[in-house]
Amino acid sequence: MKPYTTAELMSVCIARQVRDGEILAQGLATPLAAAGYLLAWHTHAPHSYFASAIGQSVCREGAALGLARVEDLWLGKAMMNFGFVQAVADLLPSIRPKEFFRPGQVDAAGNFNNIAFGDDPRHPRFRLPGSGGIPDVTNCLPDVCLYVPRHSRVVFVEKVDWVSGRGHSAGRRRGRGATYLVSDLGQFDFADGRMRLTHFHPDVSVEDIRMKTGFALELAPGLTETSPPTADELRLLREVIDPLAVRDLETLSGGRRRASLRTLLEKELAEEVVELLPS
């Protein structure tokens, strides 16, 4: 068995995409991205800013991930707060941050769908969380990144049912389509406006990725294996950034996810009780 989890490898890949001094935007319920941002902040990008959909806040100081206390990370350390419309319409287009989105569907051009599966809005096959401010910001941001915890033909499709996040398409006047994607199987870029595989993860073959992708897979020159997490990266993730392992939730589904949520909340509550006890 590998000495790290899929979630840890993906968070490390996200962290390695961060450059020092960048403004890093994060949506709701995206602990893999948050863990990656914080790992970058603790290592090679100490001058980064965080912009979060939680409270539409901006901060420069990190805090350990949690569930019941997730606001501590963003609201508790915020330098300033904005209203949602102000953040989406004014702040983000002005500061032009890097942001990682988790698509429900994505095509080869980087168009992605967070609305629903199915072409009938009144009777969707499956309703997704919704687009929020994604249609606004993906039309102007220069550094849109994506992550997919469970790579499959359900997610990687020839044509998305709805476009909530704009990819590489004709007629774009501002911003650009997605620049990077990481899944539980590999890493991808969008050279010439089309997704191509740049790295396959350890113990994953190119054929594995091809079989789980719903469009023709392009391979980048110099295709190579993803470098595994270092001992220090794993220590920071497990001991400092995310001791509860909230990051693993995004790789689970169904009953396993519900059971893990219950366990994590019970553990978090127990830790808070211990902190409140007199020493």
Side-chain angles (χ1 to χ4, degrees), residues 1 3 15 24 46 63 75 90 95 105 118-119 131 135 145 152 154 159 162 165 187 190 234 241 246 269 273:
M1 292 182 63
L24 307 170
L75 291 179
D90 298 329
I95 64 176
Q105 289 179 321
D119 56 9
S131 60
C145 301
S152 75
V154 173
K159 184 177 185 296
W162 299 91
Q187 300 180 75
F190 289 83
L234 291 175
I241 295 166
V246 180
L269 178 60
V273 170

Side-chain angles (χ1 to χ4, degrees), residues 186-254:
Q187 300 180 75
F188 305 78
D189 68 9
F190 289 83
D192 299 321
R194 183 176 175 87
M195 189 187 305
R196 63 179 191 174
L197 180 67
T198 61
H199 297 76
F200 51 90
H201 292 334
D203 298 330
V204 176
S205 71
V206 172
E207 188 57 30
D208 292 334
I209 302 171
R210 198 186 305 275
M211 291 292 291
K212 292 187 177 183
T213 302
F215 48 81
L217 182 66
E218 294 195 3
L219 308 181
L223 174 66
T224 188
E225 184 176 273
T226 299
S227 298
T230 67
D232 192 52
E233 287 170 333
L234 291 175
R235 179 190 63 81
L236 286 167
L237 282 172
R238 295 170 181 176
E239 299 178 14
V240 179
I241 295 166
D242 187 18
L244 292 172
V246 180
R247 59 191 177 274
D248 289 334
L249 286 173
E250 292 200 74
T251 65
L252 305 175
S253 62

Side-chain angles (χ1 to χ4, degrees), residues 10 31 36 45 48 70 83 101-102 104 127 130 133 135 137 141 174 176 192 195 208 214 230 236 251 264 274:
M10 291 184 65
S48 297
V70 66
F101 300 93
R102 177 181 173 176
R127 192 175 298 281
V137 298
L141 296 188
R174 299 180 62 195
R176 58 188 296 199
D192 299 321
M195 189 187 305
D208 292 334
T230 67
L236 286 167
T251 65
L264 288 177
V274 169

Side-chain angles (χ1 to χ4, degrees), residues 4 98 104 143 146-148 164 215-216 224:
Y4 53 85
K98 179 194 293 291
D143 206 354
L146 307 173
Y147 74 102
V148 178
S164 56
F215 48 81
T224 188

Side-chain angles (χ1 to χ4, degrees), residues 82-99:
F82 300 83
F84 180 78
V85 173
Q86 183 184 18
V88 170
D90 298 329
L91 176 65
L92 295 182
S94 298
I95 64 176
R96 298 164 69 82
K98 179 194 293 291
E99 183 161 3

